[in-house]
Amino acid sequence: MKFILHRDPDNRSQKIPYPALQISQLADANELTIQADAGSILVSRDDITARQALTTIRHLYEVVDSLMEQLVDATKEISSDLGGIHDPLEDVDDDVLDDLLSSGADPDGLRMLLAMEEDDD
């Protein structure tokens, strides 16, 4: 289940909503493990069982799928907004471009190099 926590960043006494702890079956846990990274926090039992680990992994896969979907949608949206912007790779011969890409050239890097040259002109 997904919760939206509306919060005041100036308030330093943040709490996990009790209903979230109940649904996650963490309300009765004496110790919790918190794993934090930029943009996310994972809270789990310190003494997680094999079944709980498997359930958590399944849930993380669902979260990954949702994040991937969000990123795919964002890339499609931004690319549709670029409709009027010229792509410098359109000027490169298709055979030359194919050879460069098959040799390991990064298309975004090549695009950036050509755009920088266009700016210099």
Side-chain angles (χ1 to χ4, degrees), residues 1-13:
M1 177 169 279
K2 181 178 179 177
F3 287 87
I4 304 293
L5 180 61
H6 298 279
R7 53 182 296 276
D8 175 7
D10 295 330
N11 181 353
R12 294 181 176 237
S13 62

Side-chain angles (χ1 to χ4, degrees), residues 41-81:
I41 299 172
L42 175 65
V43 180
S44 63
R45 290 183 176 276
D46 188 46
D47 57 344
I48 195 166
T49 67
R51 185 171 310 281
Q52 290 167 338
L54 291 170
T55 302
T56 301
I57 291 168
R58 180 190 49 78
H59 178 69
L60 288 172
Y61 280 142
E62 291 171 3
V63 171
V64 166
D65 289 344
S66 174
L67 292 173
M68 293 289 267
E69 197 173 297
Q70 287 177 31
L71 286 171
V72 166
D73 290 346
T75 61
K76 288 179 181 176
E77 183 178 326
I78 194 79
S79 68
S80 68
D81 291 343

Side-chain angles (χ1 to χ4, degrees), residues 19-37:
L21 291 171
Q22 287 176 309
I23 289 172
S24 63
Q25 298 175 357
L26 297 176
D28 65 341
N30 291 329
E31 293 184 357
L32 297 174
T33 297
I34 298 175
Q35 299 175 45
D37 201 347

Side-chain angles (χ1 to χ4, degrees), residues 89 92-106 110:
L89 293 185
V92 178
D93 180 80
D94 288 340
D95 292 333
V96 172
L97 182 58
D98 289 342
D99 287 344
L100 280 168
L101 296 178
S102 66
S103 296
D106 178 8
L110 182 57

